[in-house]
Amino acid sequence: MIRRLTGFASIAFAVVVFACPALLGAVNVPPPEFEGDYVLPKTEVPGPRENLLEYVDVSVLVLALSLSVYFVYHKRCRKGVFLLMMVSLVYFGFYRKGCICSIGAIGNVSLSLFENGYVIPFLALLFFVLPLVFTLFFGRTFCGCVCPLGALQDLVLLRPMKVARPVESVLRLLAYVYLGAAVWFAATGSAFIICRYDPFIGFFRRSGSINMIVFGACFLLVGVFVGRPYCRFLCPYGVILRQLSRLSKRKVTITPDECVKCRLCEGSCPFGAIETPTAEWPGETYRVNKKLLGVLILLLPVIAAVGVWAGGFVSGSASRVDARVRLADRIFMEDAGTVEGTIDASLAFRASGAKVEDLYSDADAIKAKFKTGGFFFGGFVALVIGLKLILLSIRFKREDYIASRAGCLACGRCYSYCPREHVRLGNVASANGGGDL
Amino acid sequence: MKDNMSRRRFLRECCWGGALGAVGLAAGFAASKAAGKDFVWQIDPFKCISCGNCATYCVLEESAVKCVHKHAMCGYCKLCTGYYEPEPVALDTAAENQLCPTGAIGRKYVEHPYYKYSIDEKLCNGCAKCVKGCSAFGNGSLFLQVRHDRCLNCNECSIAVACPSVAFVRVGVDKPYLIKGQAH
Amino acid sequence: MDGITLEMKRTTAIRVAVIAGVFSLIVAGFMFVNYSRRLSVEPGMEKQLEDMKNVFRDHPDNQKLAGEIRQFDLEIRNRRMRWLAFSGKGAVLLLCGLGVFVGCLKYAGGLGGVKPVVEGETTDGVGQERRTILSRRFVWGGFAVLLLLGVLIGFKPSVEYVAEDTWEQFLAGWPTFRGPDGSGVSKHKDVSLEFDGESGTGVLWKSPVPMDGMNSPVLWGDFVFLSGGDEKKLQVYCYDAKTGKPVWTRDVESMLPEGAEVEPMEDTGFSAPTLAVDGKRVYAIFATGDVVAFDFSGKKVWAKFLGVPDSVYGYASSLAMYKKLLIIQYDQGADDDNLSKLYALDGFSGQPVWQINRPVANSWTSPVVVDVEGKSQIITCAKPFAISYDAGTGAELWRVECEAEDIAPSSVYAGGLVFVIKPNDEVMAIKRGGRGDVTKSHIAWKNDEVDVPDICSPVSDGEFLYILSSDGVLTCIDFKGGKVVWDKDLDEMFQSSPSIVGGKLVMISEKGNLIVAETGLNYKEISRSKLGERCFASPAFADGRMYIRGNKNLYCIGKKD
């Protein structure tokens, strides 16, 4: 036995020097045949969450969306909206820990559209599609009532401050860039950046990396003063909903019937979604604007082309988001001697016995995908900017105070500011005197 | 004027229909290869290099990845390289000889000369030190698995992102484990 | 309206909010302190425990220290459990606190009733126009910033991959023992084979080798590599192939554990295995179980210890290579000891790509990597099996029973046949293409009526097989039928293996006499040259040149340009 032991000890020593990965199927010590009545214990395998519960998730989503329509349009009731929001926050946020989520589903859908090997779970698909369909009919009631990320920000909004229109215009571009990048990276099968950088998921899970917690806390802190900063300036799903909401069958109206232009609702929207009546522009500017509009329309292809070029230019660096490209770069640099030492990933690759040529051709294929994606990404962002500039040069005529189709989150805050609403509710006796309240 | 309005509305309707169609088309295309079942994350134990990232990169404070023991593969060694430090001073259960930093592996005498090793999952932190020891010179009967009673099944698993050997894979919820020595 | 009640409600809500806020702050503070302490203290404690364990290993009798270790270990583990419990509960408490805080503030705010317009936007035309112009400018600005960012990020050029493939070059050179496929056959036709070591005629250069070693030179580009060593020191040498000047000499630090001893026979020595070189690095293995890789500038790239080898005469198998894999046949112990292994290590990192247990006893043969019908095989030979493996994966392809003691001659592959030698017993020829145990099905012929070598490996030109016994009997065997064509007593003792260069047989005896003979149906000696010192290593061949390691010097034979 002593001899055996020393033999083993030397083997054990070799382990230190020979830090090797799991060596496939190497049975070094044949399993014993017991003489006694020893029973082999079973390896426990606790199951995941029941698949059935996903139907519950979808049902809750549909119910919440339906209720949101009921509260926003039928009841015109902020309290109901708020309550629904809180229920959603608790269910989708704290109970389901923020995952499954419509925003993150953008990644799954993009990947499934572009990557043949990826199979999207129905749950993710439904969470992506249902709010879109509801938005086409009823506007962004998902944002205002159902989304747990929105709910959390809405909850902490205590001292709303106005964000100047120009600042808002430029900040909103970030959301388009984020959406473009999210689709770009997901479609290439590289990363789900929306999920990776979800600022609030740490709160939902009640744990997370300190960086993400601090990031989320900063967002919430800003959210005390600026209404829903993530929704307005970053949310990539919100960007899609914005555009669909422009076409929605129904839209939120501040007044239940007619606008009396009392200006009471003007400051009521913490999200800057109330559009004021337009005034006559000073004589000269109309002509100048018309000319500018023409120039911008002509310039649109140029702007788009610049975007396409920039997207292609940035794609090489962007492809490093992909782990396989990073690995190929690393292996190449290690082999060329431009970097010192090895990392876990390169060691694992080298120990796998895989061909470096395969790695390089994979990485090149991914880079090519990134390049194509980069053209689209750059073109998309530039086009958005161009169209934004054009929109800013078109003079829309408004006579009433209205909720912006795109920007309104259907939170129902403005209702109670409208004197007509109070008339409707019977709080005020006189139908005509409402404006003087 | 009225004509203008109705044209506008017609255009709107067209856009609306187009948008609905686009959403439907995208959804339909994705749905054509969607699966009714959900997917969960799991570690392919044959690709795992026991780097230790599982212990630190999980979004949970205490990782959802734990070491599991396939007893049927175990050699029941007296000197278990997954249990003992390299060059243990004595083959007992004293802390100074144990490899596991959390004391999560139990060692019990079965019959001469065999010892049974079992994992206390409450203590295991998924650091894979024992996995490394076992797979280097044992049978590899100790290996890491995502424990689905703990895993939140994040859309993008942060351990998967940090995994150097691409050992994290999505598996169907109906077969959520990749246990060594079992057909999948 | 009852304003007082409203006011009271408001104040109460605000008071509750303040309390909840303070509570949350305190909890957050505690959590932060706990977190930062965990970050700063715990790694230090783990390190300390590690140090204590190391000390304990050197003083296993120190019971006090053992107690301290146990205590400390327990403390670390308890701390971890406390932290987990605390952070879990803390997060819930903090969340509840913040919830109450925000809820109360919201409630208090809501009690204020509908607020009048505080800040509306200007509704006059000039104001709206100014806003629009400013918005446009901001958007332009945003575009510019995004472009700038894009250019800044995109400026790092992406890597153009070039997979360096030195395999062709490897196959054309002399990078391992007896050439790239271990056959001892050089592709070069015009190699100088006549010289006189004492007078220096025909010797391009001669350079002393500091330490003894049985290993043969290997070549790459302008470098010749050797190793040497004894029980105290192990060394790897690099020589300039043009001038013979030593380029570098490196000491190899053995990782042999304290107390473990390796005692190879004097005839084997500490550095019998020949090195391998792959265009980027040179690899060496010693009788101590140390494997080491140096790059061409002499920088150590990695080192591994394979465990103390259990070998009767001392470990002697040379290294082989398949593409980027370093192949090590690590045979030890008896065939039922389950100790023998075949390793394939990644050349760059030394990481094992695969390793296979071998059911064989300790042996002194070298693995050969050969191309059989387009697929590379690793052919090994030991008691009681000659086994062939797939070179890429290590999967076993076929095996043949080879029941013999002390196997040292390596197998060779030529013209569709694998030649296996059972020392002092018989020569076997095995047909290619078999799978599994082919002992009964694939043996082309056997011959046990010849002087079967016990050290020197055979060589074949595809027509005849030449075997050379250590007491100097050279036998030519018919390739197809296994019949002896001729034999000849060369009257010398041999340890090195014969080679074939440009259609000529080249053998160098222990005394250092290099015999060149014709291949073919009759034995005919062409020349006999004197090295002037003893020789145990097989020569290496390059274009026009031959490198011979004597027991004191390294010789380069060739014509001056």
Side-chain angles (χ1 to χ4, degrees), chain A residues 11 28-29 32 35-36 38 43-44 46 54 108 112 115 120 122 136 192 196 205 207 246-247 249 405, chain B residues 12-13 16 20 27 29 33-35 38 59 69 76 91 111 114 116 137-139 147 154-156 177:
Chain A
I11 288 173
N28 293 314
V29 192
E35 286 157 12
Y38 175 74
T43 309
E44 296 286 328
E54 303 197 332
N108 302 59
S112 84
E115 184 76 58
I120 184 173
F122 259 117
L136 269 176
F192 286 173
R196 197 179 292 183
R205 290 174 183 145
S207 72
R246 286 184 200 276
L247 305 163
K249 287 281 174 199
R405 265 181 173 278
Chain B
R12 258 189 95 78
E13 290 296 319
W16 187 86
L20 190 66
F29 189 73
K33 48 179 197 168
D38 206 350
V59 293
H69 195 187
Y76 289 81
L91 298 186
E111 61 180 53
Y114 302 127
K116 173 193 165 184
F137 282 91
N139 293 349
R147 301 309 260 171
C154 304
N155 205 14
E156 182 177 68
Y177 286 89

Side-chain angles (χ1 to χ4, degrees), chain A residues 3 10 13-14 17-21 23 27-28 82 94 154-158 160-162 165-167 169-170 173 177 203 206 210 263-267 274 276-282 285 289 292 296 299 303 306-307 309-310 313-314 316-317 320 325 328-329 332 334-335 340-342 347 349-357 360 363-364 367 381-382 385 388-389 392-393 401 413 416-417 422, chain C residues 32 35 87-88 91-92 95 99 101-103 105-106 113-126 128-143 146-147 149-165 255-257 280-281 299 303-308 310 323-325 337-339 341 343 345-346 348-355 357 392:
Chain A
R3 194 177 159 261
S10 70
F13 181 82
V17 190
F18 220 124
C20 53
L23 294 158
V27 174
N28 293 314
F82 187 78
F94 292 108
D154 209 307
L155 187 66
V156 299
L157 177 57
L158 295 170
M161 286 182 344
K162 218 161 196 83
R165 281 283 151 115
V167 177
S169 302
V170 69
L173 292 178
V177 176
F203 300 113
R206 293 185 293 283
I210 190 77
R263 295 191 64 192
L264 282 175
C265 65
E266 213 180 71
I274 291 179
T276 50
T278 46
E280 281 295 313
W281 285 8
T285 54
N289 265 297
L292 190 70
L296 278 174
L299 216 60
I303 293 176
V306 171
W309 169 82
F313 186 75
V314 84
S317 294
R320 290 192 184 90
V325 172
D329 284 7
F332 178 79
E334 280 180 8
D335 281 346
E340 281 284 311
T342 51
L347 275 186
F349 172 78
R350 292 178 186 283
S352 74
K355 282 197 193 122
V356 73
E357 292 85 2
Y360 288 167
D364 278 331
K367 279 184 180 175
V381 171
I385 290 172
K388 178 110 206 154
L389 286 169
L392 281 172
S393 312
Y401 284 85
R413 274 194 179 81
S416 63
Y417 287 77
H422 289 275
Chain C
F32 180 75
Y35 176 79
S87 73
V92 174
L95 218 57
F101 174 70
V102 172
L105 281 184
K106 261 204 128 62
V114 173
K115 272 170 246 131
V117 179
V118 191
E119 30 164 7
E121 287 171 335
T122 47
T123 44
D124 63 300
V126 181
Q128 284 184 354
E129 169 71 358
R130 196 182 300 139
R131 219 159 51 216
T132 313
I133 291 173
L134 209 59
S135 291
R136 273 203 302 260
R137 282 193 189 149
F138 271 53
V139 171
W140 276 119
F143 188 37
L146 284 177
L147 274 181
L149 268 179
V151 169
L152 281 181
I153 294 171
F155 232 94
K156 200 176 169 199
S158 83
V159 178
E160 298 288 332
Y161 309 117
V162 186
E164 264 187 278
D165 192 3
M255 284 183 270
L256 207 62
K280 286 270 180 190
R281 290 162 291 273
K299 201 180 94 191
K304 294 271 172 200
F305 176 61
L306 299 182
V308 186
D310 178 2
K323 301 208 166 158
K324 55 181 188 176
L325 300 181
D337 272 357
N338 204 22
L339 288 172
K341 278 188 169 26
Y343 292 103
L345 305 188
D346 172 58
F348 181 92
S349 61
Q351 289 283 299
V353 173
W354 49 260
Q355 70 181 52
N357 289 339

Side-chain angles (χ1 to χ4, degrees), chain C residues 23 62 86 101 121 125 130 139 179 206 211 269 297 301 403 462 523 532:
Chain C
F23 171 75
N62 190 343
F86 186 86
F101 174 70
E121 287 171 335
R130 196 182 300 139
V139 171
K206 169 178 159 183
M211 295 184 81
S297 66
V301 187
E403 194 61 57
Y523 177 78

Side-chain angles (χ1 to χ4, degrees), chain C residues 110-235:
Chain C
L111 290 177
V114 173
K115 272 170 246 131
V117 179
V118 191
E119 30 164 7
E121 287 171 335
T122 47
T123 44
D124 63 300
V126 181
Q128 284 184 354
E129 169 71 358
R130 196 182 300 139
R131 219 159 51 216
T132 313
I133 291 173
L134 209 59
S135 291
R136 273 203 302 260
R137 282 193 189 149
F138 271 53
V139 171
W140 276 119
F143 188 37
V145 169
L146 284 177
L147 274 181
L148 194 74
L149 268 179
V151 169
L152 281 181
I153 294 171
F155 232 94
K156 200 176 169 199
S158 83
V159 178
E160 298 288 332
Y161 309 117
V162 186
E164 264 187 278
D165 192 3
T166 51
W167 185 238
E168 291 294 319
Q169 214 181 327
F170 180 91
L171 291 179
W174 200 269
T176 49
F177 178 56
R178 305 190 74 216
D181 55 355
S183 66
V185 179
S186 170
K187 290 175 187 72
H188 297 293
K189 301 258 177 299
D190 186 27
V191 177
S192 298
L193 299 170
E194 286 170 42
F195 61 93
D196 182 358
E198 272 161 6
S199 66
T201 321
V203 177
L204 271 182
W205 51 258
K206 169 178 159 183
S207 191
V209 181
M211 295 184 81
D212 287 345
M214 298 288 173
N215 64 87
S216 310
V218 292
L219 319 171
W220 195 283
D222 283 338
F223 300 118
V224 184
F225 300 96
L226 291 173
S227 71
D230 56 28
E231 72 272 11
K232 290 199 192 80
K233 204 149 108 187
L234 308 172
Q235 282 187 325

Side-chain angles (χ1 to χ4, degrees), chain A residues 383-398:
Chain A
L383 217 57
V384 165
I385 290 172
L387 288 174
K388 178 110 206 154
L389 286 169
I390 289 174
L391 268 182
L392 281 172
S393 312
I394 297 176
R395 186 180 166 234
F396 294 100
K397 206 169 164 190
R398 276 184 308 269

